[in-house]
Amino acid sequence: MSMFSIFNVSGSAISSQSQRLNVVASNLANVDAVAGPDGQAYKARQVVFETTLMGAESAAGVRVSGITESNEPFKRVHNPSHPAADEAGYVTQSNVNPVEEMVNMISASRSYQNNVEVMNTAKSLLLKTLQMGQ
């Protein structure tokens, strides 16, 4: 693998983690969302990654292959005075688990930062290699 492949691999990881962070942000923004007019509350979403080959070299990167919705049951809170309450007085809320989402956010953020550091280190090594040739 050439030094330039490192930029492709880390770049693909940074792009994928950025998408993951956007999905986590969307989930966290809808933690307390109640059922909409269609009767369905917001479903938590998760990013699905897959390995992908990067160019002619045998370097493997990552890409987002899709975004899935959670099958966890919705939260039901008894609040008969809420305008969205059903006949029994329950309000259906999203199935987003804020603790899981915070863990996801920290994991994605660290992965993003690590890949930025990999790119900075590779850049530094390439510059030092060029300086040695002078």
Side-chain angles (χ1 to χ4, degrees):
M1 177 184 343
S2 78
M3 284 291 288
F4 296 108
S5 297
I6 293 171
F7 293 105
N8 291 335
V9 172
S10 287
S12 71
I14 286 172
S15 175
S16 297
Q17 292 303 332
S18 177
Q19 287 181 337
R20 181 178 173 199
L21 282 168
N22 285 336
V23 169
V24 168
S26 178
N27 286 343
L28 285 172
N30 288 288
V31 166
D32 292 325
V34 296
D38 62 351
Q40 292 294 316
Y42 179 86
K43 290 185 177 183
R45 291 168 173 80
Q46 299 297 324
V47 175
V48 179
F49 297 114
E50 76 177 5
T51 304
T52 183
L53 292 177
M54 305 299 295
E57 300 162 10
S58 60
V62 64
R63 75 176 189 92
V64 174
S65 65
I67 298 174
T68 61
E69 289 185 341
S70 172
N71 291 326
E72 293 294 318
F74 293 115
K75 290 183 273 186
R76 292 180 42 89
V77 177
H78 188 262
N79 185 359
S81 63
H82 194 282
D86 61 12
E87 304 81 35
Y90 285 94
V91 177
T92 304
Q93 293 183 333
S94 71
N95 61 358
V96 176
N97 181 338
V99 175
E100 283 181 18
E101 295 305 322
M102 291 302 291
V103 170
N104 254 343
M105 182 178 66
I106 291 168
S107 173
S109 177
R110 286 187 178 160
S111 179
Y112 186 97
Q113 290 169 347
N114 288 339
N115 279 288
V116 167
E117 189 62 32
V118 165
M119 292 177 88
N120 285 334
T121 301
K123 179 182 122 184
S124 175
L125 289 172
L126 284 170
L127 287 173
K128 287 185 186 211
T129 302
L130 288 172
Q131 288 173 353
M132 285 176 32
Q134 291 178 346

